Amino acid sequence: MESHPTTGGHSVRTRSQHQRRKRIVQAAAALASRGGVEAMQMRTVAERAGVALGTLYRYFPSKMDLVVAVVGEEIDLLESSIERRPPGAATPSSRAVDVLMRATRGLMREPELADALIRSLIMAEVQTPFGERMTGLLLRVSADGLSLEEATEEQLDLAGSLASVWVQELLEMLRGRRTYDQIQRRIETAAARLLTDI
């Protein structure tokens, strides 16, 4: 089969690079879900993804870049689930709680992975899109599709604060200090206070 460019200007080669990158990220996530970030050894990830170690480093120069990619993949999954089934609650705070508790359930299906990702984000030396993407998602669902670019500084602060509360609560849950119900109650309280006037 010849490799003709496809519509939109993306070549077959670009598509195969995208698929290779996805394979690497999925291999890293699978390893992290069994043994945390320590299990995400670059050589092991490369072997599991079926790529050369040099190829892996071309896509992800460091282990932290790989962790950030795995986080991005998890947020992509959450965003597509919300597009398919948007929160139907009447108030901004209830819609935000719906999204955060869905994200909590998703992450808790793989507690080792969730623990690895959250700890890595806290220690991250590289810029991670996690906080900004969660803030953007909360703005969209709670303020009728508002984007990060359109939001006021106060709206960004409110949604960002709620995202931070959620990350802290997740950490407490992973440490065994919170139950799912306790997290939900705390998120509901924080959302009601922070998003009333959003």
Side-chain angles (χ1 to χ4, degrees):
M1 184 178 130
E2 287 180 68
S3 81
H4 292 295
T6 60
T7 53
H10 291 298
S11 68
V12 171
R13 183 167 175 237
T14 307
R15 199 163 54 238
S16 73
Q17 287 172 336
H18 177 73
Q19 287 164 345
R20 191 177 303 124
R21 184 184 187 282
K22 196 168 182 63
R23 250 193 355 262
I24 292 168
V25 172
Q26 287 169 341
L31 288 164
S33 71
R34 285 170 186 78
V37 170
E38 294 71 36
M40 274 173 61
Q41 296 305 315
M42 298 299 260
R43 185 171 298 283
T44 315
V45 172
E47 285 166 8
R48 189 176 180 120
V51 300
L53 190 56
T55 302
L56 172 61
Y57 277 109
R58 240 190 353 267
Y59 284 90
F60 303 102
S62 75
K63 189 170 171 176
M64 189 49 69
D65 291 309
L66 194 49
V67 169
V68 170
V70 172
V71 171
E73 184 87 358
E74 291 299 309
I75 297 175
D76 289 345
L77 291 172
L78 176 62
E79 286 180 335
S80 13
S81 129
I82 284 154
E83 276 172 30
R84 281 193 311 276
R85 197 168 46 90
T91 65
S93 63
S94 300
R95 290 192 296 276
V97 170
D98 179 323
V99 165
L100 292 174
M101 296 318 293
R102 264 199 244 178
T104 303
R105 286 191 299 276
L107 285 168
M108 288 305 129
R109 279 195 289 272
E110 299 278 6
E112 284 278 345
L113 176 61
D115 187 58
L117 297 179
I118 288 166
R119 286 177 197 279
S120 299
L121 289 170
I122 289 167
M123 319 275 275
E125 291 144 23
V126 296
Q127 186 63 38
T128 64
F130 184 70
E132 191 173 283
R133 284 190 65 188
M134 286 307 292
T135 300
L137 190 51
L138 289 173
L139 280 172
R140 281 201 305 280
V141 300
S142 60
D144 300 321
L146 187 69
S147 73
L148 285 168
E149 296 73 32
E150 298 163 332
T152 65
E153 198 171 324
E154 185 183 18
Q155 287 170 323
L156 287 170
D157 289 347
L158 292 168
S161 295
L162 183 57
S164 298
V165 168
W166 173 68
V167 170
Q168 184 57 42
E169 291 301 320
L170 269 184
L171 257 183
E172 292 299 297
M173 187 178 188
L174 290 163
R175 291 172 178 152
R177 297 183 194 152
R178 294 270 193 281
T179 64
Y180 178 86
D181 289 340
Q182 286 172 325
I183 285 190
Q184 180 156 359
R185 195 178 66 244
R186 285 166 169 260
I187 294 293
E188 282 169 353
T189 302
R193 298 283 192 281
L194 289 166
L195 302 184
T196 305
D197 301 320
I198 203 160

